[in-house]
Structures are given as structure tokens and as C-alpha cells.
Amino acid sequence: MLLSENILIQYISERLGHKNTTITLQTYAHLLSEKRTVEESKAMAFFNTI
């Protein structure tokens, strides 16, 4: 949920009590790939306006 709200991965990692962000990224990588697709669409829409 925090990832979907654009909360920094560092904060999420600390909040979950993970030793480092690598653990958090390994655990939630599937969510980040979905988010990447959304972000890519937004970036391309932006580039199309310039």
C-alpha cells in the first residue's frame, strides 16, 4: 500500500523492520514492476507533450 502511495522504499524498509532496502525490494519486487509500468506510461505521456 505504501509503495502505491509513492512512499520512499527506504522509509518502508525501516517501517517494516527490514535490515536494509534489499530485503524489502526482494520481497516486494513484483509490486515495483507493476508500478514501473504505470510510471513508464506517465513518463511517455510527459515526453509526448514537449
Side-chain angles (χ1 to χ4, degrees):
M1 290 172 61
L2 294 175
L3 286 172
S4 68
E5 293 298 319
N6 295 317
I7 305 298
L8 292 174
I9 194 74
Q10 292 87 348
Y11 174 78
I12 296 169
S13 183
E14 291 173 12
R15 183 82 179 178
L16 292 172
H18 293 165
K19 184 175 181 179
N20 55 53
T21 57
T22 301
I23 295 168
T24 310
L25 290 170
Q26 289 172 340
T27 304
Y28 298 104
H30 66 285
L31 297 175
L32 293 174
S33 64
E34 292 171 15
K35 186 168 178 53
R36 180 181 170 83
T37 302
V38 172
E39 295 300 313
E40 184 175 323
S41 295
K42 291 191 309 189
M44 294 311 295
F46 169 75
F47 287 130
N48 287 331
T49 66
I50 56 173

